[in-house]
Amino acid sequence: DSGVTQTPKHLITATGQRVTLRCSPRSGDLSVYWYQQSLDQGLQFLIQYYNGEERAKGNILERFSAQQFPDLHSELNLSSLELGDSALYFCASSVGSGAGAARVTDTQYFGPGTRLTVL
Amino acid sequence: AQKITQTQPGMFVQEKEAVTLDCTYDTSDPSYGLFWYKQPSSGEMIFLIYQGSYDQQNATEGRYSLNFQKARKSANLVISASQLGDSAMYFCAMREAHGSSNTGKLIFGQGTTLQVKP
Protein backbone atom coordinates (compact mmCIF):
# COMPACT_ATOMS: atom_id res chain seq x y z
CA ASP A 1 0.00 0.00 0.00
CA SER A 2 1.61 3.25 -1.18
CA GLY A 3 -0.48 5.47 1.09
CA VAL A 4 -2.02 7.28 -1.89
CA THR A 5 -5.76 6.78 -2.20
CA GLN A 6 -7.93 7.24 -5.25
CA THR A 7 -11.67 7.06 -5.67
CA PRO A 8 -13.59 5.66 -7.34
CA LYS A 9 -11.77 2.53 -8.44
CA HIS A 10 -13.98 2.06 -11.46
CA LEU A 11 -16.15 4.52 -13.36
CA ILE A 12 -18.41 3.76 -16.29
CA THR A 13 -20.10 6.65 -18.04
CA ALA A 14 -21.40 7.78 -21.41
CA THR A 15 -19.95 10.07 -24.04
CA GLY A 16 -20.54 13.73 -23.39
CA GLN A 17 -20.68 13.31 -19.62
CA ARG A 18 -18.49 14.82 -16.93
CA VAL A 19 -16.75 12.95 -14.12
CA THR A 20 -14.54 13.80 -11.15
CA LEU A 21 -11.68 11.64 -9.96
CA ARG A 22 -10.38 12.13 -6.46
CA CYS A 23 -6.93 11.60 -4.97
CA SER A 24 -5.50 11.89 -1.47
CA PRO A 25 -1.70 12.01 -1.29
CA ARG A 26 0.52 10.26 1.24
CA SER A 27 0.77 11.96 4.57
CA GLY A 28 3.41 14.68 4.34
CA ASP A 29 3.52 14.81 0.55
CA LEU A 30 2.84 18.20 -0.98
CA SER A 31 2.94 17.36 -4.68
CA VAL A 32 0.23 15.56 -6.59
CA TYR A 33 0.69 14.36 -10.16
CA TRP A 34 -1.94 12.99 -12.54
CA TYR A 35 -1.09 10.45 -15.23
CA GLN A 36 -3.18 8.74 -17.89
CA GLN A 37 -2.43 5.18 -18.99
CA SER A 38 -3.92 3.97 -22.24
CA LEU A 39 -3.03 1.12 -24.55
CA ASP A 40 -2.01 3.33 -27.44
CA GLN A 41 -0.31 6.19 -25.57
CA GLY A 42 1.21 4.38 -22.62
CA LEU A 43 1.72 6.40 -19.43
CA GLN A 44 1.39 10.13 -20.02
CA PHE A 45 1.84 12.95 -17.54
CA LEU A 46 -1.16 15.26 -17.33
CA ILE A 47 -0.60 17.84 -14.61
CA GLN A 48 1.15 18.51 -11.30
CA TYR A 49 0.09 20.50 -8.25
CA TYR A 50 2.32 21.52 -5.39
CA ASN A 51 0.84 22.79 -2.15
CA GLY A 52 -2.30 24.00 -3.85
CA GLU A 53 -0.70 25.62 -6.87
CA GLU A 54 -0.44 24.31 -10.39
CA ARG A 55 3.22 23.51 -11.00
CA ALA A 56 3.42 21.89 -14.41
CA LYS A 57 1.23 20.86 -17.29
CA GLY A 58 1.73 17.99 -19.65
CA ASN A 59 -0.48 16.49 -22.31
CA ILE A 60 -3.71 17.55 -20.67
CA LEU A 61 -6.69 18.26 -22.89
CA GLU A 62 -8.63 21.50 -22.50
CA ARG A 63 -11.67 19.42 -21.55
CA PHE A 64 -9.75 18.25 -18.48
CA SER A 65 -8.98 20.31 -15.43
CA ALA A 66 -7.65 19.70 -11.95
CA GLN A 67 -7.19 21.38 -8.63
CA GLN A 68 -5.56 20.76 -5.28
CA PHE A 69 -7.41 21.78 -2.16
CA PRO A 70 -6.06 23.19 1.12
CA ASP A 71 -6.11 19.73 2.68
CA LEU A 72 -3.89 18.68 -0.26
CA HIS A 73 -6.32 16.26 -1.84
CA SER A 74 -6.73 16.71 -5.56
CA GLU A 75 -9.50 16.27 -8.07
CA LEU A 76 -9.26 15.68 -11.80
CA ASN A 77 -12.32 16.78 -13.74
CA LEU A 78 -12.97 15.27 -17.17
CA SER A 79 -15.77 16.77 -19.24
CA SER A 80 -17.39 16.21 -22.63
CA LEU A 81 -16.08 12.70 -22.45
CA GLU A 82 -15.17 10.83 -25.60
CA LEU A 83 -14.59 7.13 -26.21
CA GLY A 84 -10.87 7.80 -26.43
CA ASP A 85 -10.79 9.08 -22.86
CA SER A 86 -11.25 5.54 -21.61
CA ALA A 87 -8.08 4.81 -19.67
CA LEU A 88 -6.56 4.16 -16.28
CA TYR A 89 -5.97 7.43 -14.45
CA PHE A 90 -3.30 7.50 -11.81
CA CYS A 91 -2.55 9.98 -9.12
CA ALA A 92 0.94 10.04 -7.64
CA SER A 93 2.37 12.04 -4.79
CA SER A 94 5.81 13.11 -3.64
CA VAL A 95 7.34 15.20 -0.91
CA GLY A 96 9.04 17.82 -3.02
CA SER A 97 7.90 20.40 -5.49
CA GLY A 98 9.58 18.76 -8.42
CA ALA A 99 11.72 21.84 -8.97
CA GLY A 100 15.41 21.90 -9.71
CA ALA A 101 18.02 19.29 -8.97
CA ALA A 102 16.11 17.92 -5.97
CA ARG A 103 13.46 16.53 -8.28
CA VAL A 104 15.85 13.79 -9.36
CA THR A 105 15.54 11.95 -6.04
CA ASP A 106 11.93 12.86 -5.30
CA THR A 107 10.20 9.51 -5.69
CA GLN A 108 6.61 9.52 -6.84
CA TYR A 109 4.30 7.02 -5.17
CA PHE A 110 1.24 6.00 -7.13
CA GLY A 111 -2.31 5.38 -6.06
CA PRO A 112 -4.28 2.31 -7.20
CA GLY A 113 -5.78 4.19 -10.15
CA THR A 114 -9.27 4.88 -11.42
CA ARG A 115 -10.33 2.89 -14.44
CA LEU A 116 -12.59 5.05 -16.60
CA THR A 117 -14.74 3.46 -19.26
CA VAL A 118 -16.62 5.75 -21.62
CA LEU A 119 -19.42 4.02 -23.55
CA ALA B 1 14.70 14.87 -26.07
CA GLN B 2 14.31 12.60 -23.10
CA LYS B 3 13.23 9.09 -23.98
CA ILE B 4 13.00 5.66 -22.37
CA THR B 5 13.18 2.48 -24.42
CA GLN B 6 12.21 -0.97 -23.23
CA THR B 7 12.80 -3.35 -26.11
CA GLN B 8 11.37 -6.52 -24.54
CA PRO B 9 7.57 -6.51 -24.77
CA GLY B 10 7.39 -9.88 -22.99
CA MET B 11 9.71 -12.13 -21.01
CA PHE B 12 9.45 -15.55 -19.40
CA VAL B 13 11.51 -16.79 -16.48
CA GLN B 14 11.49 -19.98 -14.45
CA GLU B 15 10.63 -19.65 -10.79
CA LYS B 16 13.73 -19.17 -8.58
CA GLU B 17 15.87 -18.02 -11.51
CA ALA B 18 17.18 -14.50 -12.10
CA VAL B 19 15.93 -12.28 -14.91
CA THR B 20 17.12 -9.01 -16.42
CA LEU B 21 14.72 -6.45 -17.85
CA ASP B 22 16.32 -3.99 -20.24
CA CYS B 23 15.98 -0.23 -20.19
CA THR B 24 17.89 2.35 -22.21
CA TYR B 25 17.41 6.06 -21.95
CA ASP B 26 18.28 9.21 -23.79
CA THR B 27 18.97 12.53 -22.14
CA SER B 28 21.37 15.42 -22.44
CA ASP B 29 20.94 16.37 -18.80
CA PRO B 30 23.89 15.26 -16.65
CA SER B 31 21.65 15.00 -13.60
CA TYR B 32 18.71 12.60 -13.71
CA GLY B 33 17.00 9.85 -11.81
CA LEU B 34 15.93 6.45 -13.05
CA PHE B 35 13.03 4.57 -11.51
CA TRP B 36 11.48 1.14 -11.91
CA TYR B 37 7.83 0.44 -11.22
CA LYS B 38 5.88 -2.81 -11.16
CA GLN B 39 2.29 -3.02 -12.35
CA PRO B 40 0.54 -6.30 -11.46
CA SER B 41 -2.63 -7.35 -13.21
CA SER B 42 -4.62 -5.57 -10.49
CA GLY B 43 -3.40 -2.30 -12.00
CA GLU B 44 -1.59 -0.41 -9.26
CA MET B 45 1.89 1.02 -9.87
CA ILE B 46 4.41 -0.06 -7.25
CA PHE B 47 7.74 1.73 -6.86
CA LEU B 48 10.64 -0.73 -6.81
CA ILE B 49 14.01 0.97 -7.04
CA TYR B 50 15.77 4.24 -7.80
CA GLN B 51 19.17 5.10 -9.31
CA GLY B 52 20.62 8.59 -9.50
CA SER B 53 22.92 9.57 -12.33
CA TYR B 54 25.69 10.53 -9.91
CA ASP B 55 25.38 7.45 -7.72
CA GLN B 56 28.64 5.54 -7.63
CA GLN B 57 27.08 2.25 -6.66
CA ASN B 58 24.36 0.27 -8.38
CA ALA B 59 21.11 0.46 -6.43
CA THR B 60 19.78 -2.60 -4.65
CA GLU B 61 16.48 -3.23 -2.84
CA GLY B 62 16.01 -6.76 -1.61
CA ARG B 63 15.74 -9.04 -4.65
CA TYR B 64 15.86 -6.07 -7.01
CA SER B 65 19.08 -4.56 -8.27
CA LEU B 66 19.88 -2.10 -11.00
CA ASN B 67 22.66 -2.70 -13.49
CA PHE B 68 23.49 0.93 -14.24
CA GLN B 69 25.84 1.55 -17.14
CA LYS B 70 26.00 5.29 -17.56
CA ALA B 71 28.19 5.37 -20.66
CA ARG B 72 25.79 3.03 -22.44
CA LYS B 73 22.78 4.89 -21.02
CA SER B 74 21.25 1.70 -19.74
CA ALA B 75 19.58 0.91 -16.42
CA ASN B 76 18.58 -2.74 -16.47
CA LEU B 77 16.52 -4.21 -13.65
CA VAL B 78 17.70 -7.53 -12.27
CA ILE B 79 15.26 -9.64 -10.27
CA SER B 80 16.93 -12.49 -8.42
CA ALA B 81 15.21 -15.68 -7.29
CA SER B 82 12.00 -14.98 -9.23
CA GLN B 83 8.71 -15.71 -7.53
CA LEU B 84 5.27 -16.31 -9.02
CA GLY B 85 4.18 -12.97 -7.55
CA ASP B 86 6.75 -11.20 -9.73
CA SER B 87 4.55 -11.80 -12.77
CA ALA B 88 3.59 -8.28 -13.81
CA MET B 89 4.39 -5.45 -16.17
CA TYR B 90 7.54 -3.51 -15.35
CA PHE B 91 8.13 0.11 -16.30
CA CYS B 92 11.36 2.02 -16.44
CA ALA B 93 11.02 5.78 -15.94
CA MET B 94 13.27 8.83 -15.89
CA ARG B 95 13.19 12.27 -14.41
CA GLU B 96 15.61 15.01 -15.42
CA ALA B 97 16.91 17.67 -13.07
CA HIS B 98 16.89 20.39 -15.69
CA GLY B 99 14.57 19.11 -18.37
CA SER B 100 13.59 21.43 -21.18
CA SER B 101 9.98 21.29 -20.10
CA ASN B 102 11.04 22.19 -16.56
CA THR B 103 8.56 19.80 -15.01
CA GLY B 104 8.96 17.07 -12.46
CA LYS B 105 7.17 14.60 -14.66
CA LEU B 106 8.29 11.04 -15.10
CA ILE B 107 8.88 9.79 -18.62
CA PHE B 108 7.97 6.12 -18.92
CA GLY B 109 9.00 3.36 -21.27
CA GLN B 110 6.42 1.11 -22.88
CA GLY B 111 6.91 -1.61 -20.30
CA THR B 112 7.94 -5.27 -20.25
CA THR B 113 5.53 -8.02 -19.27
CA LEU B 114 7.22 -10.65 -17.14
CA GLN B 115 5.73 -14.10 -16.68
CA VAL B 116 7.21 -16.35 -14.01
CA LYS B 117 6.71 -20.05 -14.71
CA PRO B 118 6.33 -22.54 -11.84
Side-chain angles (χ1 to χ4, degrees):
Chain A
D1 186 347
S2 67
V4 180
T5 61
Q6 286 187 251
T7 57
K9 194 164 175 61
H10 300 278
L11 201 46
I12 301 174
T13 189
T15 54
Q17 295 298 305
R18 172 190 167 95
V19 296
T20 297
L21 313 184
R22 184 188 167 107
C23 166
S24 292
R26 293 187 322 154
S27 175
D29 285 359
L30 298 177
S31 271
V32 168
Y33 306 79
W34 287 97
Y35 290 85
Q36 179 194 59
Q37 185 180 30
S38 61
L39 283 173
D40 53 345
Q41 297 285 333
L43 272 152
Q44 300 281 323
F45 167 73
L46 296 178
I47 197 164
Q48 178 203 355
Y49 279 82
Y50 174 72
N51 206 19
E53 307 250 333
E54 182 183 304
R55 173 68 69 166
K57 258 184 177 177
N59 302 322
I60 189 166
L61 300 171
E62 284 191 13
R63 301 183 284 108
F64 296 0
S65 65
Q67 53 184 327
Q68 187 179 29
F69 295 87
D71 67 352
L72 300 177
H73 91 271
S74 177
E75 293 180 358
L76 179 67
N77 301 297
L78 315 176
S79 61
S80 303
L81 285 167
E82 301 175 0
L83 296 177
D85 297 328
S86 295
L88 188 52
Y89 291 84
F90 284 108
C91 161
S93 73
S94 72
V95 171
S97 65
R103 74 168 62 139
V104 168
T105 61
D106 192 30
T107 299
Q108 294 178 27
Y109 293 90
F110 283 71
T114 292
R115 186 168 295 280
L116 174 66
T117 303
V118 182
L119 302 175
Chain B
Q2 52 180 324
K3 188 179 178 182
I4 295 282
T5 303
Q6 295 179 254
T7 57
Q8 308 151 311
M11 293 270 295
F12 287 93
V13 65
Q14 207 67 37
E15 194 179 7
K16 298 180 186 175
E17 290 185 352
V19 63
T20 298
L21 307 183
D22 294 342
C23 171
T24 58
Y25 59 91
D26 188 19
T27 179
S28 56
D29 194 330
S31 179
Y32 51 89
L34 296 157
F35 303 80
W36 277 90
Y37 288 86
K38 171 184 178 181
Q39 186 176 36
S41 57
S42 51
E44 71 267 34
M45 292 283 286
I46 302 165
F47 166 69
L48 295 178
I49 194 166
Y50 160 82
Q51 179 84 46
S53 60
Y54 291 120
D55 292 345
Q56 297 296 314
Q57 308 256 8
N58 285 343
T60 60
E61 285 287 349
R63 293 186 299 110
Y64 303 109
S65 61
L66 224 151
N67 183 1
F68 180 48
Q69 299 188 43
K70 195 169 179 177
R72 293 186 176 184
K73 292 190 174 178
S74 75
N76 299 337
L77 177 70
V78 180
I79 305 175
S80 62
S82 296
Q83 301 172 357
L84 296 178
D86 294 335
S87 294
M89 180 161 275
Y90 290 80
F91 290 94
C92 180
M94 178 173 67
R95 198 179 195 188
E96 295 174 329
H98 309 290
S100 58
S101 62
N102 198 31
T103 75
K105 69 179 179 181
L106 285 168
I107 299 294
F108 285 87
Q110 288 301 106
T112 295
T113 301
L114 177 67
Q115 293 263 36
V116 180
K117 293 181 175 180

